Amino acid sequence: MSTHQFQAEVNQLLQLIIHSLYSHREIFLRELVSNASDAIDKLRYLSASDEAYKSVAFDPLIRISFDAASGTLTLEDNGIGMNEADLVENLGTIARSGTRRFLSAMAEDKRRDSSLIGQFGVGFYASYMVADTVSVLTRKAGEEAAWLWTSDGKGSYAVEPAARDGHGTTVTLSMNDDGREYLSSWRLEELVRKYSNHVAFAIRLSWEEDEYDDKGKKTGRKKAKDEQVNSAQALWRRNKSELKDEDYVEFYKNVSDSEEAPLLWMHTRAEGTIEYTSLFFVPSKAPFDLYRADYKPGVKLYVRRVFITDDEKELLPPYLRFVRGVIDSEDLPLNVSREILQQNRVMNNIRSASVKKVLSELKDLADRDREKYGAFAEQFNRPLKEGLYSDFGNRETLMELVRFKSTGADGWTSLAEYKSRMKDGQKAIYYVTGDAEERLRKSPLLEMYRKQGVEVLLCFDEIDELVIPMAGKYGDLELKAVNRSGADKEFEGQKDERKEKDLAPALARIKAALGDQVKDVKLSSRLSESPSCIVVDEHDPSMQLQQFMKSIGQSEGIDVKPILEVNGDHPMVSALASEADESRVADVAFVLLDQALIVEGAPLKDPADFVARMNRLIAR
Ligand code: ADP
């Protein structure tokens, strides 16, 4: 026998599970059943696809039994099983990187939002909420040796050689006081129906009952009972007409490891040249790993009811990575490898039809239920925007689906709604980019638009900088960034030639004082209250994009200079025309530039210099 220590993260996870999921401790059964079903899936897949396993013929079996007298609950499967190395790897460490990351994020974040833990499969370790000790007797398919793993979940576990008939795994829980309530046939049956009804394999419950005679008296003997307790049907294969909302919700909770009902689902059976069934769900909350490169994909691939993979990021494009569900193909080969999947014609067809389906259902929701779609946008608008640059073929639909905050409406607004509110003669859709909604709402760049009653979209996601210019147009309307030089051309009618002439010398002096800090100094037609603002040249990257590029270490050649625009009606600027003192002109010039940068949320090159100039101006 050898004794091992749990990896530190396992102890951490155990603590977390016990503290945050205790009131849901019944989920331990769902987790064990799901492991058993996965193990059978894996073996079925191997026996169908791998020569070495061709001879393993087996009838899938998941059996739950219990014995109230000894206080034990047993869950047995004849799936793939584990050898000694698998046991150490799987039940002594946390193999899944997503879980590990989650734990370290939790450790750093003192708020410890443990509700998040409900978002992913806590798995095997949930057993320790109901059991004092857990033992795992297991034998791997194709191997002779069997192993017994035991642990009380308090830091260490033991592994020793054992004997087992045939491949598979038997997990035995010695229940603690809180676990004893589950040693009852009706309770277990209830739990299986609640959480595991649509596990594709039969789940049998076996137990012994007191035997009664005709007169209703105990005979003193025991009677063995054995019943199948789930429907054992892949839900997605059933007809929509037979399925109730509750069935979908329950199934979703199973496939997504989530406790919350989904926002939306779409169930499709495609018949014809390519046959497949898909069942997709849109969660009501964004998964915690939505913005992590190592996110866990949410769609499982089956081929003719045989589970193939739940770890394939290419089943749907990355911008739809929040979608959960199942694709079950009739046409793919069982031994489909990752490489094949990526180039396979059948898979490509399924993928593109699935994307179209998801997008059209979302469009439908948007048209039908504004409020619910708003809830969707709150969670998933940002990933959808990624589609604007990665999915050219669906760009038009995506343009209808993405939402914006705006100066012209509360909440989220669509481009179609913006268009319907446009002023007569307005030729473009205006937007401003920046790093925060509140800052944008106060930006001096919007002054003229506000005055003229022209609506501006507020874009404060990092990716807006990349995707909106790339999208370029909505129908025949150009999308114009107001923080770019030239966007105000439409309003040039208001330009005052005489003022331009009067102020030309002042502009020249500001420009001379600022030197190579700016690309140009111009008289602005977009300011009314503020003295200055900065814009970037029509084809230069914006300030935010420059900062973003720097933050990811790509600073080369990115230091583009801004254009300073000044408000000729503002006394700070107009007074310069008659100012004799060159050093005062320089102070004003730098303050005009620096305050415009501050309002933009851009860093100052020399804050001390700004303060000194400011103080000099105030002191006069
Ligand atoms: P998860 O199932 O989410 O990966 P668990 O902690 O439940 O996490 O299980 C860890 C690993 O242990 C599984 O990924 C699997 O490799 C292995 N395992 C658990 N239960 C079984 C079982 N009944 N048969 C075979 N392997 C199992």
Side-chain angles (χ1 to χ4, degrees):
M1 179 167 101
S2 59
T3 306
H4 307 251
Q5 298 300 311
F6 282 124
Q7 188 191 31
E9 283 96 335
V10 174
N11 293 321
Q12 209 185 334
L13 182 62
L14 272 164
Q15 286 306 312
L16 199 62
I17 292 171
I18 290 172
H19 285 120
S20 53
L21 291 178
Y22 199 69
S23 52
H24 299 290
R25 55 188 177 279
E26 63 185 32
I27 60 158
F28 80 93
L29 193 70
R30 172 188 79 188
E31 300 295 321
L32 292 179
V33 168
S34 136
N35 282 348
S37 152
D38 289 350
I40 294 172
D41 269 339
K42 279 182 199 154
L43 186 56
R44 280 224 302 187
Y45 170 63
L46 283 177
S47 63
S49 64
D50 187 328
E51 278 305 317
Y53 290 86
K54 281 268 148 73
S55 59
V56 195
F58 75 112
D59 273 334
L61 166 88
I62 301 176
R63 176 179 286 124
I64 302 171
S65 47
F66 66 93
D67 179 11
S70 64
T72 55
L73 184 131
T74 305
L75 199 137
E76 180 192 349
D77 70 66
N78 60 354
I80 180 89
M82 288 175 274
N83 60 23
E84 190 183 16
D86 295 336
L87 275 173
V88 172
E89 169 72 22
N90 296 332
L91 302 185
T93 64
I94 292 175
R96 291 162 298 165
S97 61
T99 312
R100 230 175 21 231
R101 288 280 185 73
F102 173 76
L103 284 170
S104 59
M106 287 276 293
E108 281 160 27
D109 183 354
K110 291 289 170 276
R111 277 175 307 137
R112 300 197 131 223
D113 187 1
S114 49
S115 66
L116 278 177
I117 195 164
Q119 286 196 2
F120 59 113
V122 289
F124 174 78
Y125 302 109
S127 305
Y128 286 99
M129 291 189 289
V130 294
D132 289 325
T133 31
V134 179
S135 71
V136 180
L137 174 63
T138 180
R139 178 170 151 192
K140 191 163 187 168
E143 297 185 15
E144 287 304 316
W147 299 92
L148 179 66
W149 179 102
T150 32
S151 172
D152 60 4
K154 300 211 165 69
S156 67
Y157 62 93
V159 181
E160 60 193 301
R164 190 185 195 283
D165 286 336
H167 53 81
T169 302
T170 309
V171 181
T172 304
L173 312 187
S174 290
M175 295 309 230
N176 61 24
D177 288 344
D178 288 327
R180 298 194 74 88
E181 65 168 293
Y182 302 107
L183 301 174
S184 119
S185 58
W186 71 264
R187 190 79 172 92
L188 289 169
E189 188 171 335
E190 178 194 51
L191 289 186
V192 171
R193 285 204 192 285
K194 178 168 172 190
Y195 292 114
S196 314
N197 202 24
H198 298 292
V199 165
F201 311 109
I203 301 171
R204 308 199 69 86
L205 185 62
S206 25
W207 74 102
E208 287 190 336
E209 262 180 14
D210 289 327
E211 195 185 63
Y212 291 87
D213 65 16
D214 298 346
K215 301 190 181 70
K217 266 196 161 156
K218 277 192 194 171
T219 63
R221 282 189 300 267
K222 297 277 187 188
K223 195 169 63 177
K225 305 273 275 184
D226 184 273
E227 286 173 5
Q228 177 173 334
V229 281
N230 67 331
S231 76
Q233 264 199 30
L235 171 117
W236 61 89
R237 292 291 304 168
R238 293 173 52 191
N239 270 329
K240 278 198 229 184
S241 56
E242 310 169 4
L243 291 166
K244 295 197 285 294
D245 286 1
E246 300 90 89
D247 294 322
Y248 285 110
V249 170
E250 179 234 314
F251 181 75
Y252 167 76
K253 289 181 177 174
N254 259 301
V255 289
S256 68
D257 283 321
S258 165
E259 305 295 336
E260 264 162 326
L263 192 74
L264 185 72
W265 58 84
M266 29 206 121
H267 189 181
T268 316
R269 178 164 306 165
E271 275 153 358
T273 40
I274 291 177
E275 278 181 45
Y276 66 92
T277 304
S278 65
L279 173 54
F280 296 129
F281 296 89
V282 175
S284 47
K285 290 245 167 59
F288 81 98
D289 59 359
L290 187 63
Y291 299 111
R292 311 189 80 113
D294 63 351
Y295 71 89
K296 185 163 177 12
V299 177
K300 296 182 204 263
L301 178 69
Y302 286 76
V303 172
R304 293 182 290 284
R305 254 75 63 230
V306 177
F307 169 80
I308 305 295
T309 175
D310 59 1
D311 190 24
E312 177 50 68
K313 294 191 173 176
E314 300 292 321
L315 296 180
L316 288 179
Y319 74 91
L320 293 178
R321 61 190 175 273
F322 54 87
V323 173
R324 301 292 180 250
V326 170
I327 294 174
D328 187 355
S329 157
E330 300 295 316
D331 309 304
L332 285 170
L334 271 173
N335 58 350
V336 57
S337 67
R338 179 157 292 181
E339 293 68 38
I340 294 181
L341 263 187
Q342 279 163 10
Q343 307 148 7
N344 185 280
R345 186 183 56 87
V346 173
M347 195 59 231
N348 282 337
N349 277 325
I350 296 177
R351 184 189 301 115
S352 66
S354 296
V355 173
K356 290 223 153 44
K357 177 71 188 168
V358 172
L359 298 184
S360 77
E361 289 284 331
L362 288 173
K363 180 75 179 52
D364 214 51
L365 176 69
D367 295 342
R368 171 161 57 82
D369 189 339
R370 196 170 191 281
E371 198 181 325
K372 200 165 171 189
Y373 192 79
F376 165 81
E378 198 63 57
Q379 301 293 322
F380 302 115
N381 193 41
R382 207 184 114 172
L384 273 195
K385 283 195 280 196
E386 293 170 24
L388 288 178
Y389 72 77
S390 61
D391 188 356
F392 189 80
N394 290 302
R395 187 177 285 173
E396 258 172 52
T397 319
L398 284 163
M399 286 294 267
E400 299 296 346
L401 290 176
V402 293
R403 292 291 178 268
F404 298 89
K405 291 294 176 67
S406 167
T407 60
D410 287 335
W412 295 100
T413 198
S414 67
L415 292 170
E417 287 162 348
Y418 179 107
K419 189 174 170 185
S420 73
R421 287 188 295 261
M422 273 174 37
K423 297 187 47 160
D424 282 347
Q426 186 177 332
K427 294 188 198 70
I429 293 180
Y430 294 96
Y431 68 95
V432 60
T433 56
D435 61 356
E437 178 178 354
E438 277 322 301
R439 211 189 324 255
L440 287 179
R441 285 194 187 277
K442 294 182 197 139
S443 169
L445 292 164
L446 302 185
E447 286 169 8
M448 184 207 52
Y449 295 87
R450 195 175 303 124
K451 222 168 151 186
Q452 311 241 344
V454 173
E455 179 173 350
V456 179
L457 300 174
L458 307 168
C459 302
F460 42 89
D461 276 336
E462 247 164 25
I463 63 162
D464 291 336
E465 292 287 351
L466 298 168
V467 303
I468 300 178
M470 190 161 270
K473 281 188 157 187
Y474 171 67
D476 48 12
L477 286 170
E478 215 178 313
L479 300 169
K480 279 194 173 176
V482 311
N483 43 336
R484 276 182 191 285
S485 158
D488 56 346
K489 280 206 186 93
E490 200 178 311
F491 304 93
E492 262 179 13
Q494 286 87 44
K495 233 190 200 162
D496 183 336
E497 302 260 318
R498 202 175 54 84
K499 200 161 66 189
E500 289 246 312
K501 227 169 123 204
D502 289 352
L503 283 169
L507 292 192
R509 290 168 77 192
I510 296 174
K511 196 170 174 187
L514 293 177
D516 65 358
Q517 304 276 319
V518 292
K519 197 163 183 173
D520 201 358
V521 177
K522 289 181 177 165
L523 195 60
S524 185
S525 52
R526 67 181 104 212
L527 295 170
S528 63
E529 288 102 51
S530 306
S532 63
C533 66
I534 50 168
V535 295
V536 291
D537 215 352
E538 224 159 339
H539 303 291
D540 282 348
S542 73
M543 296 301 277
Q544 282 74 34
L545 187 58
Q546 292 173 43
Q547 277 176 43
F548 173 66
M549 298 301 273
K550 276 183 199 153
S551 76
I552 60 170
Q554 305 216 347
S555 46
E556 215 140 305
I558 199 80
D559 226 349
V560 179
K561 293 187 185 88
I563 294 175
L564 178 68
E565 287 196 359
V566 297
N567 178 355
D569 294 328
H570 198 281
M572 249 180 108
V573 177
S574 52
L576 288 183
S578 54
E579 177 61 59
D581 181 350
E582 272 319 311
S583 75
R584 188 173 152 86
V585 173
D587 281 348
V588 171
F590 274 94
V591 168
L592 285 172
L593 174 63
D594 284 352
Q595 58 170 240
L597 286 168
I598 292 174
V599 178
E600 271 275 293
L604 295 187
K605 283 214 181 78
D606 190 349
D609 179 68
F610 168 70
V611 171
R613 290 183 192 275
M614 195 72 175
N615 289 341
R616 271 204 297 275
L617 290 175
I618 294 168
R620 286 226 211 163

